[in-house]
Amino acid sequence: MPESPIDPKLRSETRLPLAGLRVLDLTLARAGPTCVRHLADWGADIIRVEPPNSTDGLGGPRDGFDSVNLHRNKRAIALDLKHPDGHAAFLKLASTADILVENMRMQVKHRLKIAYDDLKELNPRLIYASISGFGQTGPYSKRGGVDQIAQGMGGLMSITGEPGRGPMRVGIPINDLTAGNLLALGIMMKLYDRERTGRGGYVHTSLLEAQVFMLDFQASRYLMDGEVAGQAGNDHPVNIPMGVFPTADKPINIAASSPKLWANFCKAAGREDWLEVEEWKTLQGRSKDRARVNATIAEVTRTKPSEWWIERLEEAGIPCGPVNDIKDVFDDPQVQHLEMAMPMRHRTRGDIRVVASPLNIEGLETGVYRDVPELGEHGAELLAEAGLSEEEIADLRAKGALGGAKGGGA
């Protein structure tokens, strides 16, 4: 097995806020790994625990774009938690961990005897963090959940897409990502609480909870005013004009709904006569006449190219921007300035780029300090750190409780 080309010593020599924290990563798919990636990027020692026959859980190769982007900055061990000796070795690791993150089906961790109740007496300082499809309790708690199911059940698909076209999913796994982000936030809160109490605890969220939370004003619109939102396509549900408009080359987004912005937009477009249209003098009036407002604006915006409009509208203080494809995003000078494409060197793919952390902590800089681990790559190393002898580690491997690379080094 080729060695990782990245020096993990750089991680220990770089002051990062989570340095010194040990995390057991039992996650798969995307929601759990999204949470762990925050912890990994900011200095925690991540131990990825997988079954000996793991295929990574992402539907692609271990050196595929998805796995590499999600599983950098980790060490790895392959343990059979169903084997008594594998389970015992896991408990050794759990006894020294600060955090455990998992997103199995609710009942699986109980069946494996690695749930919070199984570990809290072993390690009272452990923060146990879970993501499920629908919650740890309740009528749906035993169901498996994936992002698109939660998009549908959580109402998002009913308000996404053009009116009359039927439900539409969002183009990213927004529930997986949001649940992972929220769980990372919950872990940070519990870590702060542990500083005061000395005790860990159980932190959890679900795809469904994350989706309902992300409904935001559309949810409060219903809860307070009884309005059930429908699909509005590329238009903002209540503000007008705010949406996508054609230009001579590519579409752009324009947001000019406030009285001041609407007036400035009409002037910038050379159509101050729009300010005299009685039905358009208020936001409510423009909203009722949305189709005509949009069509009238589109007739004007399509006469000039996108860059002409963006420059002109920016000068007028009107929020606007192009509708980019993914290549355009990473070619954008602001995205490049923000360094959102982070360089790393992969053992087989060579010099590549992955998505950087969006968090900025002045005086600290994250990066890729460890390559994505092979299955069980650091097993022997980790078990030795937990106090097992070479003979005990060899015995685990002989019994099939420990898998992965025989060397198990860094």
Side-chain angles (χ1 to χ4, degrees):
M1 177 185 302
E3 288 293 320
S4 168
I6 300 171
D7 184 359
K9 290 181 180 179
L10 292 174
R11 187 193 193 105
S12 60
E13 294 169 358
T14 303
R15 187 178 70 86
L16 289 173
L18 301 184
L21 291 174
R22 173 165 285 197
V23 180
L24 294 185
D25 173 15
L26 281 77
T27 67
L28 66 162
R30 188 174 316 281
T34 295
C35 168
V36 175
R37 182 172 54 184
H38 286 297
L39 312 180
D41 281 353
W42 290 100
D45 178 19
I46 309 296
I47 301 172
R48 188 181 183 195
V49 181
E50 299 177 89
N53 60 350
S54 173
T55 58
D56 197 42
L58 288 168
R62 298 185 78 86
D63 64 351
F65 62 86
D66 215 0
S67 181
V68 171
N69 191 52
L70 280 173
H71 294 299
R72 63 203 185 216
N73 289 333
K74 299 179 181 183
R75 295 191 286 171
I77 186 169
L79 283 175
D80 183 356
L81 300 182
K82 298 176 183 178
H83 192 290
D85 293 335
H87 186 268
F90 172 80
L91 294 182
K92 286 273 192 180
L93 296 175
S95 68
T96 64
D98 294 285
I99 301 161
L100 183 152
V101 186
E102 63 85 22
N103 62 327
M104 309 170 187
R105 284 199 185 203
M106 183 276 296
Q107 61 270 37
V108 173
K109 56 183 170 286
H110 294 283
R111 187 166 64 242
L112 292 173
K113 294 183 171 54
I114 58 168
Y116 176 62
D117 287 343
D118 299 308
L119 303 179
K120 63 181 181 181
E121 298 304 323
L122 172 72
N123 182 356
R125 288 177 57 80
L126 180 68
I127 295 170
Y128 195 109
S130 298
I131 296 175
S132 61
F134 305 102
Q136 297 297 317
T137 59
Y140 300 165
S141 60
K142 293 185 179 181
R143 291 188 187 181
V146 297
D147 180 88
Q148 187 160 336
I149 304 301
Q151 285 196 34
M153 293 179 68
L156 181 61
M157 293 174 69
S158 74
I159 56 174
T160 303
E162 297 178 340
R165 295 287 297 274
M168 181 67 66
R169 70 181 293 274
V170 173
I172 58 171
I174 191 167
N175 295 296
D176 284 341
L177 300 174
T178 301
N181 294 337
L182 291 173
L183 190 67
L185 175 62
I187 290 170
M188 293 300 103
M189 291 179 179
K190 190 58 190 174
L191 276 170
Y192 181 75
D193 182 63
R194 192 178 75 172
E195 289 297 304
R196 296 182 295 178
T197 66
R199 296 190 63 85
Y202 193 20
V203 181
H204 53 89
T205 189
S206 67
L207 302 187
L208 184 59
E209 287 168 288
Q211 178 53 77
V212 174
F213 170 77
M214 288 291 284
L215 288 177
D216 197 60
F217 78 92
Q218 296 284 37
S220 62
R221 184 179 175 188
Y222 166 72
L223 292 173
M224 297 183 197
D225 293 344
E227 295 181 12
V228 178
Q231 294 166 301
N234 287 321
D235 294 323
H236 190 277
V238 294
N239 295 331
I240 180 76
M242 187 181 293
V244 177
F245 295 90
T247 72
D249 55 354
K250 64 185 293 185
I252 61 173
N253 276 302
I254 300 172
S257 59
S258 73
K260 180 180 178 180
L261 289 176
W262 171 241
N264 288 349
F265 174 71
C266 293
K267 294 172 185 176
R271 293 301 302 267
E272 293 186 59
D273 57 302
W274 291 346
L275 295 171
E276 304 305 317
V277 179
E278 193 63 33
E279 299 92 331
W280 298 357
K281 289 184 177 181
T282 65
L283 175 62
Q284 292 77 13
R286 292 194 298 276
S287 184
K288 289 180 181 178
D289 202 18
R290 179 186 299 268
R292 188 161 68 106
V293 172
N294 285 346
T296 303
I297 293 173
E299 288 178 6
V300 175
T301 57
R302 62 167 45 100
T303 62
K304 301 287 185 181
S306 57
E307 288 189 10
W308 187 92
W309 279 109
I310 290 170
E311 182 178 349
R312 189 173 184 84
L313 296 178
E314 280 290 329
E315 288 177 357
I318 297 165
C320 60
V323 178
N324 289 331
D325 64 21
I326 305 301
K327 180 181 183 302
D328 293 335
V329 170
F330 288 101
D331 287 343
D332 186 278
Q334 182 65 24
V335 174
Q336 292 181 355
H337 171 78
L338 295 172
E339 299 180 336
M340 287 305 298
M342 183 168 61
M344 71 170 282
R345 184 164 180 78
H346 187 268
R347 73 187 81 211
T348 60
R349 300 188 69 146
D351 292 322
I352 58 173
R353 297 182 299 167
V354 292
V355 182
S357 172
L359 304 175
N360 299 288
I361 304 176
E362 292 295 322
L364 302 176
E365 185 175 351
T366 185
V368 180
Y369 302 94
R370 284 189 182 273
D371 200 352
V372 179
E374 296 290 344
L375 177 65
E377 181 176 345
H378 307 94
E381 169 187 311
L382 291 165
L383 292 176
E385 290 177 10
L388 275 69
S389 67
E390 289 185 11
E391 292 75 17
E392 289 172 314
I393 295 169
D395 185 53
L396 282 171
R397 200 178 296 281
K399 292 177 177 177
L402 175 66
K406 289 189 177 181

